[in-house]
Amino acid sequence: MKAIQISEPSVMKVIDIDAPQMGDDEVLLRMKYVGFCGSDLNTYRGGNPMVKMPVVPGHEVGAVIEKVGRNVPEGLKEGMVVTVNPYTNCGKCASCRNGRVNACQHNETLGVQRWGAMRESLCLPWEKVIPAGLLTPRECALVEPMSVGFHAVSRAQVTDIDVVLVIGCGMVGMGAVVRSAQRGATVIAADIDDDKLALARQMGASYTVNTRTEDVHKQLLTMTSGFGPDVVIEAVGSAPTYQMAVDEVAFTGRVVCIGYAKTEVSFQTKYFVQKELDIRGSRNAQPSDFRAVIHYMERRTCPVDRLISAVVKPEQAAGAMQHWAEAPGRVFRILVEF
């Protein structure tokens, strides 16, 4: 069957691989749409240390169930539109023991630590298959990245009395904007691109700040009556944005970090103590986050068409990825249609 492979940095091609063999506890999925995410872009550029090449990328899935194994519960049926939870969990590490399986010490994400979903069909354990309700397969491909942003909001324990600054308005950051607004918080979206900031307003942000052209500190003090944001969610993964998060968060605030900085980050650690900050990591998403995103998208208020930058066939994927690599700030999501 047809699959997309990244064999080395900047080299992507369509290959032929064996069709999967379904087990009794598995579901056979026919891929309809699979999204390229930031980790796939990093893999393509040679900057993803967790990937062993060659790899089939992809973990943002919109699929249809083609067949179910004999031990699969009745709730999963042939023809059902689904998305997937692309993470594994060992059940034995400290994270799993504490019920936070999304942060499993031995997690292997599709398309990162193991071959992913950029292929015509895929078998997965039934527990990792998520019914998508009223969503289309195309919409399903947006669920996983938004769920990562939803999870960060849960980690931040956002409430309706909080002012939340979301740094980075990619798909994950947009998820954090949406979920924070749903919880009643006042949301400030920060990015370097005015088009993304305009979209963030449409998705629930009350204020925006362009970190490239505006005085961020001055703007945030004005927007928060001099206090600074109660919560900062870092959804970029760079040294300057990590530093911004700590510098700008209010005293006794919460900082939640999603992005991986690619270089070492220097902090004024006095702020950790003087502000008595809660600094938390946020990794992947819980099943409840997936359900929450599906529920949100079923309301048809999500501007899906604006979040999908391009839909391409497998043979066009390499060209689309090269375009993204050349202009990373201008792309939300590229979907591959199988």
Side-chain angles (χ1 to χ4, degrees):
M1 67 176 183
K2 187 181 297 184
I4 294 171
Q5 184 187 74
I6 302 174
S7 56
E8 58 184 279
S10 300
V11 178
M12 178 183 289
K13 57 188 175 182
V14 177
I15 63 171
D16 186 66
I17 63 174
D18 293 337
Q21 300 298 310
M22 186 186 70
D24 290 342
D25 297 306
E26 292 185 321
V27 175
L28 175 62
L29 302 178
R30 175 65 61 180
M31 297 295 108
K32 295 296 184 181
Y33 295 90
V34 182
F36 280 123
C37 77
S39 64
D40 298 323
L41 177 61
N42 287 333
T43 299
Y44 179 77
R45 295 164 120 182
N48 191 339
M50 294 182 290
V51 169
K52 183 178 180 180
M53 305 261 196
V55 66
V56 172
H59 56 256
E60 301 174 358
V61 173
V64 172
I65 295 178
E66 189 166 279
K67 191 175 180 180
V68 298
R70 68 177 67 184
N71 297 333
V72 173
E74 293 184 1
L76 295 174
K77 301 181 183 297
E78 293 179 13
M80 181 179 287
V81 175
V82 297
T83 188
V84 304
N85 181 332
Y87 325 120
T88 63
N89 53 284
C90 69
K92 299 176 182 179
C93 70
S95 301
C96 292
R97 182 180 63 183
N98 291 328
R100 290 162 65 176
V101 296
N102 57 292
C104 174
Q105 181 178 351
H106 306 293
N107 168 66
E108 293 185 347
T109 299
L110 283 171
V112 184
Q113 292 92 349
R114 55 185 172 137
W115 278 25
M118 286 282 177
R119 58 178 91 181
E120 291 181 290
S121 60
L122 176 68
C123 284
L124 288 175
W126 68 264
E127 297 93 340
K128 299 299 182 181
V129 178
I130 303 172
L134 301 176
L135 300 191
T136 66
R138 179 170 168 268
E139 292 168 332
C140 285
L142 303 180
V143 170
E144 190 275 341
M146 292 194 73
S147 73
V148 176
F150 273 45
H151 183 66
V153 173
S154 295
R155 291 284 294 141
Q157 297 176 299
V158 171
T159 72
D160 59 348
I161 63 171
D162 288 319
V163 177
V164 179
L165 169 65
V166 178
I167 306 176
C169 293
M171 278 294 299
V172 171
M174 288 299 188
V177 168
V178 169
R179 194 56 164 167
S180 297
Q182 284 185 332
R183 292 192 175 198
T186 300
V187 182
I188 304 170
D191 200 276
I192 61 174
D193 185 88
D194 286 331
D195 290 339
K196 288 184 176 180
L197 292 174
L199 183 54
R201 281 187 177 270
Q202 183 178 345
M203 298 183 75
S206 298
Y207 304 97
T208 59
V209 56
N210 188 312
T211 58
R212 176 174 287 170
T213 62
E214 298 180 75
D215 185 327
V216 175
H217 181 68
K218 181 178 179 180
Q219 291 286 0
L220 291 177
L221 289 181
T222 300
M223 294 170 182
T224 62
S225 301
F227 291 106
D230 304 287
V231 174
V232 178
I233 296 176
E234 198 287 332
V236 176
S238 71
T241 51
Y242 262 73
Q243 292 164 340
M244 182 190 301
V246 172
D247 290 348
E248 300 299 341
V249 70
F251 274 65
T252 68
R254 286 101 72 197
V255 175
V256 174
C257 304
I258 309 173
Y260 288 174
K262 309 304 183 293
T263 60
E264 292 186 1
V265 183
S266 298
F267 291 106
Q268 290 289 335
T269 54
K270 66 178 182 180
Y271 291 148
F272 295 12
V273 178
Q274 289 179 346
K275 292 186 177 183
E276 198 175 56
L277 299 180
D278 290 331
I279 300 176
R280 306 172 185 179
S282 182
R283 184 182 182 190
N284 299 331
Q286 291 271 21
S288 59
D289 300 308
F290 284 85
R291 294 197 301 272
V293 173
I294 291 169
H295 181 63
Y296 158 66
M297 294 187 70
E298 284 181 323
R299 299 173 185 173
R300 306 299 179 198
T301 59
C302 179
V304 171
D305 289 340
R306 293 192 64 186
L307 296 175
I308 298 173
S309 303
V311 179
V312 300
K313 296 296 185 180
E315 293 77 12
Q316 301 168 312
M321 184 62 85
Q322 179 60 36
H323 172 73
W324 191 9
E326 293 170 355
R330 304 299 300 176
V331 173
F332 274 106
R333 272 303 177 271
I334 297 170
L335 305 188
V336 178
E337 181 179 9
F338 285 88

